Amino acid sequence: MRDTRESRLLLVLLVAVAFALITVDLRGDERSPLDGARRVTASVLGPVENTVAGAVDPVGNAVAAVRDSGERHDRISALERENAELRQRLAASGRDDDRVRQLEKLLKSAGAGQYGVKAAQVIGIGAAQGFSWTVTVDVGERDGIERDMTVINGDGLVGRVTTVGPTTSTVLLANDPDFTVGTRLEGTGELGFANGRGDSALTVQLLNSKAEVDKGDRLVTFGSSNDRPFVPGVPVGEVIQVDPHSGGLTRTVRVRPYVGFTRLDLVGVVVKAPRTDPRDTVLPPKPERSGNAERAAASGEPAENADPSTSRD
């Protein structure tokens, strides 16, 4: 279309008509004469708008869902990491608490016997020497450990040091068949020798064949010359069986050791012997024993497993 005087006049006229229609529509509110035209336009274009919106919304929703899914996954992963760390802290705390209790018990026993001890942790089971019942501890020559030192824990006699390296040592446990330690009976002072029997109770040969001994009597170490390999007064165990007199030169009793050799963790190597024999002072106070407890001790079972129906008056 050429730019002529007529075309410019037509453009001005159209603009004026458009302004007039807008003014009439605004002033007319809901009664605007253009309302019908708007409704017609809406009825024609509305379905088209809905179709376009329906096609676009799923795409937008999918994008949002993917974004939210990634955020949820990150939050879940973070929570899982926090839970795992919390479980590890709780487990470590439980182990630390147990070791603190073991250490307190060890120090209490060492204090009662006036033993100078070097605390150590069991880091291995078995030894290169071929002993059947040995453990490796994490102290050695650099810590002042020497061969034939006594090893204890808060319960009693663990064993003796047999081999020493720069940073580790091997301990022969008191329940090993090759293990022998001199014992003394609480109260009467009767002497004997205890031998290990693997996972069974210790066997003690009392030197006096007529020694008065009963179930529940307790034994401690007698001690060795120059306190090697055993210092005196360390709790060994409790009598659970007394063999009848056999007419021999000795009398045999079975002794349940105080130490749980399959549950060893924290131990103490006695690096300084007591100045005087502690005798029975390291033994804990003897509890009052019921008939059930006595029968349980004799059978090697916990007291709660004894049959109450068999109790005697």
Side-chain angles (χ1 to χ4, degrees):
M1 183 176 182
R2 291 178 298 175
D3 187 12
T4 61
R5 182 177 180 183
E6 290 82 0
S7 62
R8 286 197 295 272
L9 289 174
L10 178 60
L11 178 61
V12 171
L13 180 59
L14 291 174
V15 171
V17 171
F19 274 108
L21 291 175
I22 292 172
T23 301
V24 170
D25 183 47
L26 290 176
R27 290 180 178 179
D29 297 329
E30 296 179 355
R31 296 184 299 277
S32 172
L34 299 178
D35 188 52
R38 277 203 305 270
R39 286 197 296 271
V40 172
T41 302
S43 63
V44 173
L45 298 180
V48 178
E49 291 175 345
N50 290 334
T51 301
V52 173
V56 173
D57 284 347
V59 177
N61 292 338
V63 173
V66 171
R67 182 176 62 252
D68 293 342
S69 175
E71 292 175 355
R72 285 194 297 271
H73 178 73
D74 293 341
R75 288 196 297 272
I76 292 172
S77 298
L79 289 173
E80 289 176 345
R81 287 194 300 270
E82 291 176 1
N83 288 338
E85 293 173 359
L86 180 59
R87 285 193 295 269
Q88 291 175 355
R89 287 198 298 270
L90 289 174
S93 175
R95 289 193 298 270
D96 291 342
D97 291 344
D98 182 60
R99 285 176 179 168
V100 167
R101 287 190 293 270
Q102 291 183 55
L103 180 59
E104 290 176 346
K105 197 173 182 181
L106 169 64
L107 295 178
K108 183 178 179 180
S109 296
Q114 296 300 301
Y115 309 127
V117 298
K118 180 70 176 181
Q121 184 178 346
V122 174
I123 59 174
I125 303 172
Q129 288 82 0
F131 298 128
S132 57
W133 289 89
T134 58
V135 294
T136 302
V137 295
D138 62 351
V139 292
E141 293 175 348
R142 297 178 184 176
D143 305 288
I145 307 303
E146 298 177 4
R147 191 174 182 273
D148 282 339
M149 284 183 168
T150 309
V151 182
I152 66 174
N153 68 4
D155 296 316
L157 180 66
V158 171
R160 63 180 176 88
V161 176
T162 57
T163 306
V164 182
T167 59
T168 61
S169 302
T170 300
V171 178
L172 178 66
L173 301 181
N175 64 332
D176 187 274
D178 291 334
F179 189 95
T180 301
V181 59
T183 62
R184 184 174 49 76
L185 200 62
E186 177 188 13
T188 65
E190 292 286 355
L191 302 182
F193 291 95
N195 296 96
R197 296 184 59 190
D199 56 357
S200 300
L202 306 178
T203 298
V204 177
Q205 298 289 333
L206 296 175
L207 299 182
N208 181 2
S209 63
K210 298 181 180 180
E212 294 295 331
V213 56
D214 297 311
K215 297 174 184 177
D217 286 349
R218 304 184 294 180
L219 297 96
V220 297
T221 56
F222 175 69
S224 306
S225 176
N226 297 320
D227 301 309
R228 297 285 186 91
F230 302 109
V231 294
V234 178
V236 174
E238 183 175 305
V239 176
I240 59 173
Q241 180 180 326
V242 181
D243 289 352
H245 292 284
S246 61
L249 298 177
T250 62
R251 189 170 191 188
T252 303
V253 297
R254 299 280 301 279
V255 173
R256 180 177 57 206
Y258 289 123
V259 171
F261 298 106
T262 60
R263 303 188 303 273
L264 291 172
D265 183 13
L266 188 66
V267 299
V269 182
V270 180
V271 295
K272 185 177 181 180
R275 292 183 179 180
T276 59
D277 187 343
R279 303 292 292 182
D280 303 329
T281 59
V282 186
L283 287 167
K286 201 165 185 177
E288 294 293 332
R289 303 180 67 84
S290 64
N292 266 4
E294 291 176 356
R295 284 186 298 280
S299 64
E301 296 179 351
E304 59 270 19
N305 291 340
D307 184 1
S309 64
T310 61
S311 61
R312 292 175 295 180
D313 295 334

